[in-house]
Amino acid sequence: MSETSPKGISKGTGRIAEYAVGLVVVLMFLFHMWTASFGTLAAYQLTAVHWALVGTFIILVKPLKSPMGRIADILLILANLFICFYEIKLQNDFVVNAGMYTQFDIYVSMASIVLALVIAQRMLGNILPVIVVVFIGYALLGNLIPGMFRTIRFSIDRIAPYLYTAYEGMFGQTLAVSALFIYLFVAFGTALDLTGAGEFFVDLAYSIAGRAKGGPAQAAVYSSMLLGTINGSGAANVVTTGTFTIPLMKKVGFKPEFAGAVEAVASSGGQIMPPVMGAAAFLMSEMTGIAYAKIAFAALLPAALYYLTLSFAVYLTSHKLNLPTVDKKDQLKPLDVLKKGWYHMLPLFLLIGMMIRGYSVQRSAFFSILLVFAIGFLTNRKKMTLANIYKSLKSSVDGIAPIAAACILAGAIMGVINLTGLGLKISSIIETLAAGRMLIALVLTMLASLLLGMGLPTSACYMILAVLIAPALTKMGASPMAAHLFILYFGALSTITPPVALSTFAAAGIAQASVWKTGVESIKLASTGFIIPFLFVFNQELLFQGSFADILFALVTSIGGSLILAVSITGWMRERVSVLGRIILIPAGIMLFVVKPYYFNLIGIALTAAVLFVEIKLARKVARRPGQ
């Protein structure tokens, strides 16, 4: 009789599942490294193999909790493998049969939708699968709806094959981004973590900022920024770097909710920070046809202003609380840190350099990953054991699984949108509600991004809204770059926006702070991120588009705007700032972000000068009082 676990599941069976997970993890890495270097596959072949491996992994690591569940899981794995490889066969057969479907093809297509929903639900929960079902229901019953949302009649025999085989469907454009780009960068990030690069970046940031008041918080800002741009998940980055930075911030005197908010805001901002932008830059390039380098360059100034505001708010708060500086004996010297780990920066330089030189994203990531492992073996061979390497590879599949699951379901949604013409209808509705006023259209888009982003990964949220809403914004006058970056920004910020703020929840848990207080602090610290997207739609200079003089003017005034907003957020400027002064500084700071018309800057400067004058006089008056 075989040995069993307390739940009645055979330990031998569990060991077989572990071996199966290990096989999938290794195959996943080898397959994507091969396709990134020497292997050439059609997009449908790449996505089919990608989902075959990811789907199998999800079923194995999220098994049904019953003795019969093992049998069901095995059948589910076999069915998913068949679905994926039948997709390849079907696409190949289209060349011969001119795209005609057999009845069996239709049955397989229906099964593919059900399987994708079942597997993805294990990883993502119920929200996105329910949204998919609603969209498919709309395609089926849309002919019964009165008004502008009415569609022609679509049968399941037409819907299912379209979602199964179309480039806008489940195995199409969205899943291709996961297979082509995102997995490689997730693997790149986990490989960096394996070799100690994450610790190096934290130490480097701490050595540079640690001498100032609140140095540990500054270190949290910039180390989370560096790592967040690679891994592309705010919540995951909070858990990774927050375990080091949040206790350190609390130790020097920051309140728990403030420490948690700093980490949450810094980690979430990684998705908007070039060069990698959590792989969103490559996704946007695929969706818009704009070159990756142009997207990364355009996104640089808004992201820099986001972090400048956060960093200066941390600096002012440190002075407001009169926190002590780090003891000299505990301070790290930047040169010492660089001497000890400078080589950890080489893969990042190689990655950026190759992409700038025009190499493909996949090829650049391939050689960068190889360099990371080479550095690991040359500098810390003891750490590069098979067990640790496997753990790193498994972390990469853990990271890609929810993204790929979201991508395949987002593909189903996009397929329905394309088939029914829903995107054009929603764009028309936004245009009608906005009545030609861009600001109202942007507010509606912001609310949609925040709402969808609460339940979806940023990548899935962006893909859906890029199809549904971006056309309306561009039709009303926004540039494609500005429209798509606007959607991406609020999708990223949804991870710190209540009520479903995953990054905030994670940070509050580590800080042992109130979730709601941490959420309020997060919204305040991320204020620039909520303001700038509206401004760069109207002022392209913030995206480095326009004349050199206007771009330089935008750079200088927007830096001033960031500093003024930080003063308003913290209520401190050498002395405590009154409530009225903080309220006035909000529009003053915003006006400095506006490039044209120029008089907005003059008004902003005048308001700031007036507040400074009054606050300084009040401070001197208080200082002259007897007993002060």
Side-chain angles (χ1 to χ4, degrees), residues 210-216 251-254 318 321-327:
R211 298 166 187 262
K213 282 182 178 291
K251 185 178 178 181
V252 299
F254 286 105
S318 303
L321 299 175
N322 195 26
L323 300 181
T325 56
V326 178
D327 196 298

Side-chain angles (χ1 to χ4, degrees), residues 86-116:
Y86 195 82
E87 156 74 6
I88 297 174
K89 176 184 178 301
L90 197 57
Q91 294 282 3
N92 290 335
D93 289 347
F94 282 165
V95 178
V96 179
N97 60 24
M100 299 297 292
Y101 298 105
T102 66
Q103 193 61 44
F104 183 72
D105 296 338
I106 294 171
Y107 291 147
V108 173
S109 301
M110 294 177 188
S112 72
I113 298 171
V114 175
L115 284 170

Side-chain angles (χ1 to χ4, degrees), residues 1-23:
M1 186 175 179
S2 64
E3 187 181 1
T4 58
S5 68
K7 291 185 179 181
I9 299 175
S10 168
K11 287 186 177 180
T13 304
R15 192 170 291 115
I16 292 172
E18 289 178 12
Y19 290 145
V21 168
L23 178 63

Side-chain angles (χ1 to χ4, degrees), residues 54 410 627:
V54 173

